[in-house]
């Protein structure tokens, strides 16, 4: 997989922003929406190459899509994967995240 295919977008949710603000040194914990087939090593390499930072650890979570109804029709949203990336001390990607 190419680096730009692994990371789809930064995860901008209330929980992700609170975790980023509460991390030991502000801005060291960043959340991304990633490809469902990517592994932790792929995510680590992609973040290090794209943002020129050092990654300490990567935690991932598979999120199940919700069931939705439109009248009598029942459907399902897509499953997706998110990654919480902890950066090494002294590194930050705040400039990128503040531009969103």
């Amino acid at each position: 997989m190419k680096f730009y295919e692994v990371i789809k977008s930064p995860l901008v949710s209330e929980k992700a922003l609170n975790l980023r603000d509460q991390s030991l040194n502000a801005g060291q914990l960043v959340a991304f929406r990633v490809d469902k087939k990517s592994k932790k090593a792929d995510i680590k390499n992609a973040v290090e190459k794209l943002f020129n930072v050092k990654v300490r650890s990567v935690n991932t979570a598979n999120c199940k899509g919700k069931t939705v109804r439109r009248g009598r029709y029942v459907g399902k949203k897509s499953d997706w994967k998110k990654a919480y990336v902890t950066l090494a001390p002294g590194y930050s990607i705040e400039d990128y995240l503040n531009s969103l």
Side-chain angles (χ1 to χ4, degrees), residues 59-77:
N59 296 330
T60 59
N62 290 314
C63 301
K64 301 294 179 189
K66 295 180 180 180
T67 303
V68 293
R69 290 183 60 95
R70 301 283 187 259
R72 64 180 175 173
Y73 301 105
V74 179
K76 183 178 177 294
K77 291 187 177 182

Side-chain angles (χ1 to χ4, degrees), residues 20-89:
R20 186 179 74 183
D21 293 339
Q22 293 173 359
S23 63
L24 295 176
N25 296 342
Q28 282 193 346
L29 184 69
V30 185
F32 292 103
R33 177 175 255 175
V34 296
D35 188 74
K36 287 194 303 186
K37 298 175 185 173
S38 61
K39 298 176 184 162
K40 288 184 180 185
D42 298 335
I43 297 167
K44 179 180 177 181
N45 291 335
V47 171
E48 286 180 347
K49 298 293 183 187
L50 291 175
F51 299 108
N52 295 323
V53 295
K54 183 78 173 162
V55 173
R56 182 189 301 168
S57 66
V58 176
N59 296 330
T60 59
N62 290 314
C63 301
K64 301 294 179 189
K66 295 180 180 180
T67 303
V68 293
R69 290 183 60 95
R70 301 283 187 259
R72 64 180 175 173
Y73 301 105
V74 179
K76 183 178 177 294
K77 291 187 177 182
S78 301
D79 296 340
W80 57 285
K81 188 174 194 175
K82 63 182 167 181
Y84 293 106
V85 178
T86 305
L87 303 177

